[in-house]
Amino acid sequence: MRYEELADVPCSITRPLVIFGDRWTLLILKFAFSGIRRFNGFQSALGISRSRLQDRLDRLIEHEILVKRKAAVGAHEEYRLTQKGHDIYPILMAIREWGDTYMAPDGPPARYAHQGCTGEAHANLECDVCGKAMTARDVLPEAGPGLLAGQSVNQVAT
């Protein structure tokens, strides 16, 4: 199956990979959350080619994750996260936690503190009814309203 065809697969894990399936896109989002808004700021932080950066920014705009607009001060344009973009934050936090656990032998390089509190940000998987913590062993994929006729839930879910 070609990469572009993945957007048509009725799977809510597969479809986003068409947008987020390369390291540059997630790194752009990481820096957008850290406050970078200008093209040159992204390029400087990432060391990415201008054409590749423009391609990834355009894709994020096309999918309404970023919006490009005039800055409030100055004549330049900036890239801002939309609500859809802000909703990606838990994904980045889940990747960060995995990285802290398995790829940070000297401990986490950064602490993500809760402002005004002594707590720390964590991505947690929990049941929306009982509130119990869940792992992959606790999840049973079932057919949803978007499953196409003739397809098995096993073809589209993990």
Side-chain angles (χ1 to χ4, degrees):
M1 180 176 300
R2 297 190 57 198
Y3 190 72
E4 298 81 23
E5 294 170 349
L6 294 174
D8 298 327
V9 173
C11 173
S12 296
I13 293 173
T14 304
R15 285 177 180 161
L17 290 177
V18 173
I19 302 168
F20 307 124
D22 70 275
R23 67 181 181 262
W24 295 118
T25 303
L26 290 174
L27 288 170
I28 289 166
L29 290 169
K30 171 189 174 269
F31 284 107
F33 279 107
S34 74
I36 292 179
R37 295 192 175 103
R38 295 180 65 182
F39 185 93
N40 289 339
F42 287 113
Q43 188 181 30
S44 176
L46 293 165
I48 184 175
S49 73
R50 294 180 72 77
S51 61
R52 180 162 287 151
L53 175 58
Q54 191 63 63
D55 176 67
R56 298 318 187 273
L57 290 169
D58 289 345
R59 184 183 311 155
L60 290 167
I61 290 167
E62 175 188 341
H63 290 279
E64 301 175 342
I65 293 165
L66 291 177
V67 62
K68 183 179 179 180
R69 64 179 179 216
K70 293 275 186 201
V73 177
H76 63 274
E77 292 183 314
E78 60 184 18
Y79 297 88
R80 303 292 299 240
L81 289 158
T82 63
Q83 184 59 51
K84 189 175 178 180
H86 277 278
D87 288 344
I88 294 166
Y89 196 68
I91 297 168
L92 293 177
M93 288 294 96
I95 292 170
R96 179 206 40 102
E97 284 193 43
W98 187 90
D100 284 351
T101 301
Y102 298 104
M103 301 186 83
D106 298 324
R111 182 175 181 273
Y112 290 77
H114 184 193
Q115 286 187 37
C117 176
T118 60
E120 196 170 336
H122 291 282
N124 298 313
L125 183 64
E126 62 182 37
C127 177
D128 68 343
V129 174
C130 71
K132 288 179 77 173
M134 298 169 63
T135 70
R137 290 179 180 93
D138 302 311
V139 177
L140 175 65
E142 297 178 344
L147 189 67
L148 300 175
Q151 283 192 313
S152 162
V153 72
N154 294 329
Q155 292 173 298
V156 297
T158 46

